[in-house]
Amino acid sequence: MFFHIVLERNMQLHPRFFGRNLRENLVSKLMKDVEGTCSGRHGFVVAITGIESVGKGLIRDGTGFVTFPVKYQCVVFRPFKGEILEAVVTLVNKMGFFAEAGPVQIFVSKHLIPDDMEFQAGDMPNYTTSDGSVKIQKECEVRLKIIGTRVDATEIFCVGTIKDDFLGVINDPAAA
Amino acid sequence: MEKSGPVQRTVVLKPFIKLVKLLARAFYDDYTTKSDNQQKSARIDNRGIAVVVLDALTRRQWVREEDLAKELQLHAKQLRKIIRHFEEQKLIMRDHRKETAKGAKMYSVAVAATTDGRAEDKVKLHTHSYCCLDYPQIYDIVRIKVHRIKKKLKDELEDNNTVQEYVCPNCQRKYNALDALRLISMEDDSFHCENCNGELVVECNKLTSEELVDGDDNARRRRREKLKDMLQKMEVQLKPLMDQINRVKDLPVPEFGSLQAWEARATIAARENGELGPNDPLRSQGGYGSTPMPFLGETKVEVNLGEGKEDVKSKGGDSSLKVLPPWMIREGMNLTGEQRGEVRQEAKFEGGSGEASKLSDDKKSSMGNGDEKDLKDEYLKAYYAELLKQQELAAKLNQQESMAEVTPETQLATTSSDRQLGMKSKREEEDEEDVEWEEEAPASANGNYKVDLNVEAEASGGEEEEDDVDWEEG
């Protein structure tokens, strides 16, 4: 699920950036530092949408670096148990398959794939129904339901299922 | 010990007893106290012992475990093991208490007197355990048990929301699907153990482990069939239990409370019935020590703590400051309101007795009533009746009367001035109330009192006007 929230961060800025572009430098550094990171609490920071406030800088003794407390608005992505996601399959093996929904990795184990789909080993490992009408292989898009999440301090990993109504392959670029 | 009469009031125990019996037969039928390795050597089969214990408990309330063991002819240790099991299952309340066996204590004192050493370990208090069925909890436990069984079977049947588990065949280390990212190896497409790099295998469900060897389709289908079968069997076998649960659903649950509360109740009830002899089983069970000590102070104290509280409180208010009978009150006596019997009425208000409503209904007659009850003097009754009439007649002149009371001459006016004084003290407060409630009353009054009030009223009115002006300005 996506959230638009305000976060705060202390930015250390090198003295060479001090000047008329200080603020722009600060913001670009913030984007570089924060976007794409993941915290267990808030999830993945997808993008910074705005700066709320930049506090007074504090010069560090000895180094000359200045610390600015920056409040910024950002979009975060946090997967939840029970959530339905659309993901791209990245790896298929006999244990199941891995998929990615943006920054989140999801594993769907074999027993959470519908019973009528069989694993086919080979050059392009895939899960196929007996009549061959549905095929799950690398690069294809699936809709899945998250049934478990593991949230660490810096990463989030999910387990999903496609064994439910309206779940499964939604688009296969290889077949098209 | 099996006296359920005094403690049980309106709740019906029967259906709950049946529930417990069904529960015992459904889930604890094959419970054995022996652990698995012992069982092979054990010659006696004690299956069903748990059922016996539970049944015995349905016929009792709080019971000392030793007594229960004796009656069931079980070894105390064996019984304790079963009871502990049930405690873990939350079917039973337990209480442990250190008690002195009086005889042993006296003996140890004697020993201490004669010999110096080894006295301490003789004084040791014996811990006695008591247990009792916890009916409210049992009801909940049964329901959740059945629910959990059903859910487990259904989930497994549908493979719903289960995070797949993997186990390493070499080191038995377990993983689940959430670890998948760390477990995939680059060489082949299976999971490998972090410790020994062995290939992980899917851990099969415990219920049907013997069938599911390599998770192939055939085995899965068979497993599903078995699960379905189990579910159906369960429905059939647990039907009587479920029926009983539904029957019990709307009934009030029998509750015995904690051991102390139960004891207090039981003793009080027994005392009310006059049953509590020194050798009464309740006493010997509930009191301290196995030997009944009828004249022991401590037991009585404990009992009084339980229920007699309210009585003690209300009576305490009376006894602390004695209410003087009105004929004892003379002029010039420095009496508190309590002594004049005012608190007594308040206490009655607190007690919420029937007359409280009366008192609040009509103040004047209630005053009369209250006094009538306090005083048993016939003469006074007659006097008050007359006084009441007078009051009704002179209802408008109340204020005047109160004024008259304030002036010293009326205090000496009548022959029965002393009694009237007792009345006056009450009337004064009554009049005060009138002043507070009805603002018209002072208007009919005369003398300086009236003037005061009018002045007050005017002053307040003036303030209001000023307030209005302020508001307008603001």
Side-chain angles (χ1 to χ4, degrees):
Chain A
M1 211 175 290
F2 293 94
F3 298 94
H4 192 199
I5 56 170
V6 176
L7 294 178
E8 192 170 358
R9 187 181 170 87
N10 285 327
M11 293 296 302
Q12 296 232 9
L13 205 62
H14 193 273
R16 76 186 136 149
F17 296 115
F18 298 169
R20 56 178 5 171
N21 291 333
L22 189 146
R23 195 184 161 87
E24 284 79 63
N25 285 323
L26 197 66
V27 171
S28 62
K29 188 174 188 307
L30 178 73
M31 285 180 167
K32 213 174 81 190
D33 282 5
V34 168
E35 281 180 358
T37 61
C38 171
S39 77
R41 188 176 154 82
H42 299 105
F44 296 93
V45 178
V46 178
I48 291 172
T49 56
I51 305 293
E52 286 260 303
S53 68
V54 179
K56 282 182 179 160
L58 196 74
I59 303 173
R60 297 264 145 215
D61 286 342
T63 60
F65 274 85
V66 173
T67 311
F68 293 96
V70 184
K71 275 190 182 163
Y72 57 96
Q73 301 160 337
C74 60
V75 175
V76 292
F77 173 55
R78 170 82 157 77
F80 289 95
K81 202 169 159 178
E83 192 178 344
I84 310 282
L85 285 181
E86 284 162 22
V88 178
V89 176
T90 54
L91 177 74
V92 179
N93 63 25
K94 66 172 184 187
M95 310 303 278
F97 66 85
F98 287 84
E100 276 179 6
V104 186
Q105 292 240 31
I106 301 147
F107 175 62
V108 179
S109 74
K110 181 172 158 47
H111 86 294
L112 293 172
I113 296 171
D115 290 334
D116 60 344
M117 296 190 93
E118 288 280 344
F119 178 67
Q120 315 281 334
D123 191 27
M124 205 53 174
N126 59 69
Y127 283 90
T128 319
T129 53
S130 51
D131 61 353
S133 61
V134 182
K135 191 184 260 185
I136 295 175
Q137 58 188 357
K138 203 179 165 190
E139 302 296 332
C140 81
E141 293 166 24
V142 289
R143 181 171 292 146
L144 47 83
K145 187 169 89 174
I146 293 174
I147 58 163
T149 58
R150 155 162 298 175
V151 179
D152 296 333
T154 57
E155 67 171 4
I156 295 177
F157 183 71
C158 300
V159 173
T161 177
I162 55 168
K163 210 180 191 181
D164 211 340
D165 295 341
F166 308 107
L167 301 183
V169 178
I170 49 175
N171 182 23
D172 192 354
Chain B
M1 202 174 299
E2 296 182 20
K3 248 179 249 160
S4 60
V7 180
Q8 294 305 307
R9 287 189 191 98
T10 51
V11 283
V12 198
L13 201 51
K14 268 258 166 59
F16 287 91
I17 289 179
K18 195 178 175 200
L19 178 68
V20 172
K21 287 184 172 170
L22 283 169
L23 168 77
R25 279 152 188 80
F27 296 122
Y28 301 101
D29 212 7
D30 51 354
Y31 171 80
T32 53
T33 48
K34 301 273 185 291
S35 57
D36 287 338
N37 50 355
Q38 274 178 315
Q39 196 161 11
K40 283 162 199 159
S41 61
R43 260 168 256 156
I44 12 163
D45 182 18
N46 61 359
R47 273 182 300 182
I49 193 75
V51 178
V52 172
V53 172
L54 274 181
D55 278 8
L57 279 169
T58 59
R59 293 189 293 270
R60 292 161 175 79
Q61 297 184 0
W62 278 97
V63 61
R64 182 155 52 188
E65 283 166 23
E66 285 170 24
D67 296 347
L68 188 65
K70 217 173 279 170
E71 277 160 47
L72 293 177
Q73 307 211 323
L74 278 173
H75 201 269
K77 271 187 183 170
Q78 205 180 0
L79 180 73
R80 206 171 306 136
K81 202 167 180 183
I82 299 168
I83 283 182
R84 199 160 48 226
H85 176 70
F86 284 135
E87 193 190 13
E88 281 162 13
Q89 301 276 312
K90 310 247 183 250
L91 300 181
I92 279 179
M93 291 184 279
R94 278 182 102 191
D95 201 342
H96 310 282
R97 206 160 59 177
K98 281 193 174 156
E99 291 169 356
T100 49
K102 200 69 184 175
K105 199 180 182 183
M106 277 154 73
Y107 171 71
S108 64
V109 169
V111 167
T114 48
T115 63
D116 290 337
R118 300 204 59 220
E120 282 77 19
D121 46 1
K122 294 279 181 184
V123 193
K124 214 182 262 172
L125 298 168
H126 292 274
T127 306
H128 291 293
S129 304
Y130 297 82
C131 60
C132 179
L133 288 175
D134 190 351
Y135 287 103
Q137 190 144 286
I138 286 173
Y139 171 59
D140 291 339
I141 288 289
V142 177
R143 281 192 310 167
I144 199 164
K145 227 178 174 115
V146 173
H147 173 77
R148 292 279 288 274
I149 294 171
K150 263 188 200 160
K151 188 158 190 297
K152 188 170 168 66
L153 284 174
K154 275 209 178 114
D155 272 2
E156 269 182 51
L157 196 62
E158 290 154 23
D159 272 340
N160 264 352
N161 301 342
T162 43
V163 175
Q164 183 70 57
E165 298 206 327
Y166 304 95
V167 65
C168 174
N170 300 333
C171 60
Q172 301 302 317
R173 186 169 167 180
K174 284 184 180 175
Y175 299 92
N176 66 20
L178 289 166
D179 303 309
L181 208 54
R182 287 185 283 139
L183 302 174
I184 41 169
S185 68
M186 294 301 114
E187 298 99 55
D188 57 355
D189 54 356
S190 58
F191 292 153
H192 285 267
C193 178
E194 285 181 323
N195 280 355
C196 55
N197 205 29
E199 196 169 311
L200 299 183
V201 294
V202 175
E203 193 182 44
C204 26
N205 291 301
K206 280 156 204 152
L207 271 177
T208 47
S209 52
E210 65 274 12
E211 284 183 31
L212 190 73
V213 186
D214 53 349
D216 72 334
D217 249 15
N218 217 356
R220 189 173 272 179
R221 208 162 295 139
R222 258 186 296 154
R223 194 185 62 143
R224 294 197 66 154
E225 265 159 33
K226 189 175 179 184
L227 281 170
K228 245 180 221 164
D229 203 36
M230 276 175 87
L231 203 62
Q232 271 173 357
K233 264 189 199 163
M234 192 200 77
E235 297 268 348
V236 172
Q237 287 172 2
L238 290 186
K239 189 150 191 307
L241 189 65
M242 296 310 293
D243 288 349
Q244 190 62 25
I245 289 175
N246 288 333
R247 215 167 294 149
V248 152
K249 193 167 62 185
D250 298 323
L251 298 176
V253 186
E255 230 171 325
F256 303 133
S258 67
L259 179 59
Q260 277 77 19
W262 176 79
E263 267 177 14
R265 258 184 301 146
T267 356
I268 282 170
R271 188 171 285 169
E272 275 168 9
N273 297 344
E275 286 169 351
L276 191 68
N279 294 323
D280 195 288
L282 272 175
R283 172 58 72 90
S284 69
Q285 181 202 340
Y288 288 98
S290 52
T291 48
M293 301 291 289
F295 304 112
L296 218 60
E298 40 188 2
T299 38
K300 276 179 190 167
V301 167
E302 197 189 36
V303 166
N304 282 341
L305 275 176
E307 305 252 306
K309 234 180 193 169
E310 279 183 23
D311 291 4
V312 168
K313 202 179 173 184
S314 57
K315 277 174 193 164
D318 285 356
S319 58
S320 63
L321 256 182
K322 268 198 180 147
V323 181
L324 292 180
W327 63 86
M328 282 182 70
I329 301 176
R330 308 236 165 235
E331 200 221 329
M333 278 175 86
N334 193 13
L335 294 179
T336 62
E338 289 154 329
Q339 280 167 309
R340 287 174 197 269
E342 287 168 8
V343 160
R344 192 104 174 229
Q345 284 177 351
E346 281 177 15
K348 269 174 193 162
F349 267 102
E350 283 172 1
S353 57
E355 47 201 300
S357 57
K358 251 195 234 166
L359 280 172
S360 60
D361 274 344
D362 44 346
K363 280 171 196 162
K364 275 170 197 167
S365 63
S366 75
M367 283 302 174
N369 282 342
D371 281 336
E372 270 172 19
K373 285 190 180 166
D374 282 348
L375 313 172
K376 280 139 199 168
D377 198 342
E378 286 294 320
Y379 171 75
L380 265 181
K381 270 187 196 169
Y383 173 77
Y384 282 136
E386 203 172 320
L387 198 73
L388 268 176
K389 274 181 204 164
Q390 268 186 354
Q391 281 177 341
E392 280 163 21
L393 281 174
K396 287 175 273 175
L397 304 174
N398 252 348
Q399 207 56 44
Q400 271 178 311
E401 275 184 64
S402 78
M403 281 308 303
E405 279 168 12
V406 175
T407 57
E409 51 165 309
T410 41
Q411 284 179 349
L412 306 168
T414 54
T415 50
S416 59
S417 66
D418 39 6
R419 287 187 205 102
Q420 206 184 359
L421 256 180
M423 197 49 210
K424 265 180 215 157
S425 66
K426 261 148 237 156
R427 290 264 303 285
E428 272 171 6
E429 66 166 15
E430 180 185 311
D431 288 334
E432 278 168 15
E433 280 177 7
D434 277 350
V435 170
E436 280 175 5
W437 289 106
E438 310 172 346
E439 289 184 357
E440 291 165 1
S444 69
N446 57 3
N448 47 3
Y449 204 57
K450 170 194 162 190
V451 171
D452 276 353
L453 273 165
N454 281 345
V455 165
E456 265 184 29
E458 276 168 16
S460 68
E463 276 172 12
E464 274 176 19
E465 279 172 9
E466 279 174 7
D467 280 355
D468 284 344
V469 172
D470 280 349
W471 279 109
E472 279 170 3
E473 280 175 358

